[in-house]
Amino acid sequence: MPLLWLDVPDEPGHDSLRGYIERNAIALLSNRRRRPLDPPSDGWLGRYCDREKVRTSGLWNSDHVDEEYDPDFLQAMERLAGRVTACV
């Protein structure tokens, strides 16, 4: 799985850019109550989690998995990714 580390230059919080990116990325990737576009593997341990939201979202997260994402957040991510100089 590819990983991109974004430098978000603000303090964590609900109204921060960091919070906006986190909420919307989770909402976009969540499979909860949707036909999965990219379902977890059959061996994913989250299938056995006692938290129903984890099992049904395909993410190790319970927050924001029921939300709709704001498509504008992709532009914010693109701007932040454009500032990345190197990925490991």
Side-chain angles (χ1 to χ4, degrees), residues 10-82:
D10 67 359
E11 292 297 315
H14 182 73
D15 294 328
S16 68
L17 178 57
R18 183 182 306 249
Y20 176 71
I21 296 289
E22 178 182 353
R23 282 189 310 279
N24 283 282
I26 292 169
L28 173 64
L29 296 173
S30 175
N31 291 320
R32 186 164 158 79
R33 299 188 179 146
R34 300 183 192 135
R35 193 176 118 242
L37 296 176
D38 187 16
S41 69
D42 291 337
W44 180 59
L45 293 177
R47 294 183 187 278
Y48 307 100
C49 183
D50 63 350
R51 293 185 182 103
E52 190 258 342
K53 285 185 176 184
V54 170
R55 287 192 314 273
T56 58
S57 71
L59 301 172
W60 282 110
N61 201 314
S62 295
D63 296 331
H64 314 298
V65 296
D66 290 315
E67 298 174 20
E68 294 295 322
Y69 77 97
D70 174 3
D72 291 341
F73 105 96
L74 294 170
Q75 293 173 341
M77 280 190 62
E78 184 176 29
R79 283 191 304 274
L80 292 168

